[in-house]
Amino acid sequence: MTTSDVARQGDQNAQPLSLSGHVGFDSLPHQLVNKSTCQGFCFNILCIGETGIGKSTLMDTLFNTNFENFESSHFEPKVKLRAQTYDLQESNVRLKLTIVNTVGFGDQLNKDMSYQHVVDYIDTQFESYLQEELKIKRSLHNYHDSRIHACLYFIAPSGHSLKSLDLVTMKKLDSKVNIIPVIAKADTISKTELHKFKIKIMSELVSNGVQIYQFPTDDETVSKINTAMNGILPFAVVGSTEEVKIGNKMVKARQYPWGVVQVENENHCDFVKLREMLICVNMEDLREQTHTRHYELYRRCKLEEMGFTDTNPESKPVSLQETYEAKRQEFLGELQHREEEMRQMFVQRVKEKETELKEAERELQGKFEQLKRLHSEEKNKLDEKRRSLEDEMNTFSKKKAATELLQGQSFTANANLKKDKDRKNSGFM
Amino acid sequence: MICTLSKPAQQKLLEGYVGFANLPNQVYRKSVKRGFEFTLMVVGESGLGKSTLINSLFLTDLYSPEYPGPSHRIKKTVQVEQSKVLVKEGGVQLLLTIVDTPGFGDAVDNSNCWQPVIDYIDSKFEDYLNSESRVNRRQMPDNRVHCCLYFIAPSGHGLKPLDIEFMKRLHEKVNIIPLIAKADTMTPEECQQFKKQIMREITEHKIKIYEFPETDDEEENKIVKKIKDRLPLAVVGSNTIIVVNEKRVRGRQYPWGVAEVENGEHCDFTILRNMLIRTHMQDLKDVTNNVHYENYRSRKLAAVTYNGADNNKNKGAMTKFDTSDGMSPLAQMEEERRDHVAKMKKMEMEMEQVFEMKVKEKIQKLKDSEQELQRRHEQMKKNLEAQHKELEEKRRQHEEEKNSWEAQQRVLEQQKLDSSRTLEKNKKKKIF
């Protein structure tokens, strides 16, 4: 009996104790399972592949149902992701399945950014989980987990090697999601070609450092089958929702003039193996890996990015509260600083404008000073003119008065003279 | 958004075998591999049979003569001690931690004797919170207290003040399962009465003891109802095995008979064991995780962010932290940042407006004074011009007058000249 993880960590001071009877806590796993079953399970699959490669058909075949499929065109300007959630039930087990399909993958002329939208989508799901986890009042046990648990990467059945888009995309995704590469439309490759193709793919993946999902081999109940399956990767699959009569049974198959490809025939393709591995044996492990490995990596990177550490510069452990506190102070300080800056800027502007206006005022004053001066000059001139006129007039009137006086005198004199003369004259006669 | 929003989940029927019905088995497998942990706390005065009950529950000698139970260790103050044991059964490993509280309720003055217990529980929550909040998270051992068995002395008269105080202070931190200890000192009728009395007092004081969850299963619900009717459970424990009717049973030998521990008619021990271990252990852990721990966490984190907010002007007033519906502190900071940006924009706009207005005012004033000065200047100019004109007129008049006078004078002169000439002539004539 191998030691459980708990036993290994609790080892410090736990004494093993033997029980003298049946206590009954071997029902614990049952209790746990019952609870989970009551709550229902949740699984999210992402399918990446070129348009028309058979993603939707495979999903339909895998889950034995008809999901709503939109036929996409080859002319999508950008890669989009379309997610659909379904409630499925098999015996007493309820599964909330979300299928995310890429639309337009590999169709653009420039495929540089193809993978970016996929990466962004995966990160967004991690982010919303992280946000929920960091909330003060949170309800994680009710949270609908939208993180991608498995990514089926559809490889085109060229028979030669992986496309560079495939390598680039898988390399970007291997640290974020469990990648399960599948060879699509495997009914177009012969057995020998297929064997060579698989080897080529795996070696290319290894040489490019792409880490695809490995079925876990540490649990002895499933290690044998998982190890075997790891050697058959990538699975070559065929999907079909149409049924053909073989013998006296209706089986899912594709009818060709030269024969019938049976989906569930393990000689024809690896479909059954894929279903076995993905759903029957390792679904829970896929979820666990997503949570404990990929999500933790995302979380660690995100928190470090935001400046959180586990130890402060003196290498003493720092609690999250202290970090929050510090961050918060920093943050508030930053805000205040910005406010101050803006105020300062305004004060500056006001000063500048004031100086400007003062300048204008001064100019205006200057202008009017000048005008005033001109005016007073004018006035002075006018006054002078007036004065000279007055002088003239005075002179004139003096002259006139003098002349008139003279004239008056002379006139009077003349008059007297004349009078005298006249008297004289009159006297003479 | 890159992703088109999905419609709400649609129900789909499977047309054949898929295989995820195997999921529960996968979960089972993984949980067994992981192993289980459980922390059980026992609280009660000395001599109530706590150690004996633990031994009986787990069919082992957790407390033995070499390692005596709490009652034998007389302490001055309440201690909180834990012992960890690793038990295996049917392939399932359980790391069991039993937390003792020797000295509880044994002093003369027992006020605050619950404090060490509260501190212990909180410290375990704190540890878990810290390990959950680390950037690098490894395995997080769960040492939180999942269940607290509270032993009530079988007085037959109801709860003691200490019992009520303790439960009131701890019911929101841990799952409390009250037990009537040494139930073999009461007759069934006395026991019934006692239980009723206790439940009444519990309801009266609004104490929230551990509640058994409702399930969808009819059968299970019936069982749950039966248990609920028998709360609080009256238990008897024993370390000795006695032969009764050729059966080996745990029991207490009296002159008048044997009180069997596992006999449902003698006491509720089996119910307790079944409930605690066989059916509700997982639920106890879940409630601890989802309710008690979350309460602790949200209170702790809200205190942190509130402390940060103390620097704000919203001291004392209802900040949005009070009403925030549990946003993560980071999201809160984000929102605060956004709010601040909006506030700054508004402030900027306002300042801008005020600025513009003042500038306009000043410019207007300037214009006005310019106009005024211009007007005055115009006026003065006009004035001057008028004066000029007047002066011109005057001059003209003066000139005219002067000219006319001069002309007159000239005429007069001429006349004078003429007359003097005539006179001369006459004079000359006269002379002749």
Side-chain angles (χ1 to χ4, degrees), chain B residues 253-268:
Chain B
Q253 176 101 64
Y254 293 104
W256 45 89
V258 176
E260 293 166 47
V261 168
E262 292 183 25
N263 189 326
E265 296 184 9
H266 295 191
C267 71
D268 300 325

Side-chain angles (χ1 to χ4, degrees), chain A residues 4 83 135 280 296 300, chain B residues 6 26 89 93 136-137 297:
Chain A
S4 64
K135 271 193 195 171
C280 300
E296 283 300 312
R300 188 162 56 234
Chain B
S6 56
Q26 298 179 30
E89 192 177 64
Q93 285 190 341
N136 283 306
R137 301 198 287 202
R297 181 181 174 277

Side-chain angles (χ1 to χ4, degrees), chain B residues 66-296:
Chain B
E66 300 98 49
Y67 183 66
S71 47
H72 297 268
R73 290 173 267 133
I74 299 166
K75 310 277 172 162
K76 288 238 182 71
T77 55
V78 179
Q79 306 285 315
V80 180
E81 297 174 350
Q82 67 179 39
S83 25
K84 281 190 198 280
V85 287
L86 189 60
V87 283
K88 287 188 221 185
E89 192 177 64
V92 177
Q93 285 190 341
L94 173 67
L95 183 62
L96 182 65
T97 310
I98 309 282
V99 183
D100 275 321
T101 52
F104 181 84
D106 288 342
V108 176
D109 179 5
N110 285 314
S111 25
N112 262 353
C113 69
W114 47 78
Q115 198 55 47
V117 177
I118 293 182
D119 293 341
Y120 179 86
I121 295 177
D122 277 348
S123 81
K124 295 300 166 189
F125 280 153
E126 178 78 23
D127 289 343
Y128 193 81
L129 178 62
N130 281 337
S131 64
E132 189 194 32
S133 307
R134 285 171 63 85
V135 174
N136 283 306
R137 301 198 287 202
R138 295 297 143 72
Q139 291 158 327
M140 294 184 283
D142 186 4
N143 290 320
R144 301 172 291 187
V145 179
H146 300 119
C147 177
C148 173
L149 297 178
Y150 186 77
F151 287 72
I152 300 168
S155 67
H157 288 296
L159 292 173
K160 296 210 208 90
L162 174 62
D163 301 334
I164 296 173
E165 271 309 307
F166 179 86
M167 289 200 274
K168 266 168 91 163
R169 283 162 195 284
L170 284 231
H171 67 161
E172 299 206 309
K173 287 192 177 291
V174 73
N175 298 316
I176 300 185
I177 299 180
L179 301 174
I180 299 174
K182 298 198 164 172
D184 54 344
T185 58
M186 292 187 287
T187 66
E189 297 78 28
E190 287 170 347
C191 200
Q192 265 306 91
Q193 280 296 96
F194 192 35
K195 285 185 182 184
K196 277 214 188 72
Q197 176 71 12
I198 292 176
M199 287 314 279
R200 222 174 328 178
E201 291 184 18
I202 284 179
T203 329
E204 203 179 288
H205 291 271
K206 296 201 179 46
I207 294 171
K208 288 183 247 170
I209 57 173
Y210 173 69
E211 254 184 50
F212 297 87
E214 295 272 308
T215 56
D216 299 322
D217 191 8
E218 272 301 309
E219 287 298 316
E220 274 196 46
N221 276 344
K222 275 203 224 140
I223 301 173
V224 166
K225 177 123 191 348
K226 267 205 332 214
I227 299 177
K228 279 192 168 152
D229 287 338
R230 299 189 73 158
L231 288 178
L233 301 175
V235 291
V236 175
S238 171
N239 286 328
T240 46
I241 309 230
I242 303 167
V243 180
V244 173
N245 295 342
E246 289 160 20
K247 273 206 310 188
R248 291 168 60 83
V249 292
R250 277 189 184 238
R252 292 175 59 75
Q253 176 101 64
Y254 293 104
W256 45 89
V258 176
E260 293 166 47
V261 168
E262 292 183 25
N263 189 326
E265 296 184 9
H266 295 191
C267 71
D268 300 325
F269 174 85
T270 1
I271 299 182
L272 174 67
R273 184 182 55 198
N274 287 344
M275 180 275 279
L276 180 64
I277 300 175
R278 295 183 187 174
T279 54
H280 286 85
M281 201 176 232
Q282 185 61 39
D283 186 64
L284 285 162
K285 290 173 62 170
D286 287 342
V287 173
T288 308
N289 185 49
N290 298 338
V291 178
H292 300 299
Y293 170 69
E294 287 298 319
N295 280 341
Y296 173 83

Side-chain angles (χ1 to χ4, degrees), chain A residues 111-124:
Chain A
K111 300 188 257 279
D112 259 349
M113 295 312 281
S114 299
Y115 61 78
Q116 194 55 48
H117 293 152
V118 182
V119 168
D120 290 342
Y121 180 82
I122 295 176
D123 279 346
T124 313

